[in-house]
């Protein structure tokens, strides 16, 4: 159950952070309404609270593992929202990152 909760928190954190960054990108780079930027700031703030809810108590470990989730989530967001088509190398790199994240956060504890 702890692993399932952790994975769900990582997914929720990815949606909040990547979505927040995307909203700010839309406001700044795509000249959308300032409300996009405000929504982005709120989503990024929510990301911090979601990350803090991880069962592991080590900030560095949680954020390091989240880095791998962020890589995969960013590519997935690009595919689903922006029509991005990742290359084989993008996919291989993402796979390496998510495997590394899994090793970092779910390592056997003595």
């Amino acid at each position: 159950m702890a692993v399932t909760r952790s994975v769900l928190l990582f997914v929720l954190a990815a949606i909040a952070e990547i979505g927040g960054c995307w909203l700010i990108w839309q406001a700044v780079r795509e000249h959308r309404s300032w409300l996009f930027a405000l929504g982005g700031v709120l989503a990024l703030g929510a990301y911090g609270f979601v990350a803090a809810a991880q069962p592991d108590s080590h900030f560095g470990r949680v954020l390091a593992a989240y880095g791998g989730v962020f890589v995969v989530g960013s590519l997935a967001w690009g595919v689903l929202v922006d029509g991005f088509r990742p290359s084989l190398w993008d996919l291989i790199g993402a796979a390496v990152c998510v495997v590394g994240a899994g090793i970092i956060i779910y390592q056997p504890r003595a």
Side-chain angles (χ1 to χ4, degrees), residues 14 17-18 26-27 35 56 58 72 74 79 82 85 96 98 100 105:
E17 185 180 16
I18 298 163
Q26 292 299 304
L35 292 173
D56 193 296
H58 298 93
V72 171
S74 296
V79 168
D82 285 331
R85 296 292 171 240
V96 168
V98 80
I105 202 70

Side-chain angles (χ1 to χ4, degrees), residues 30-45:
E30 305 297 331
H31 309 291
R32 308 284 292 267
S33 166
W34 64 271
L35 292 173
F36 279 75
L38 178 60
V41 168
L42 294 173
L44 289 168

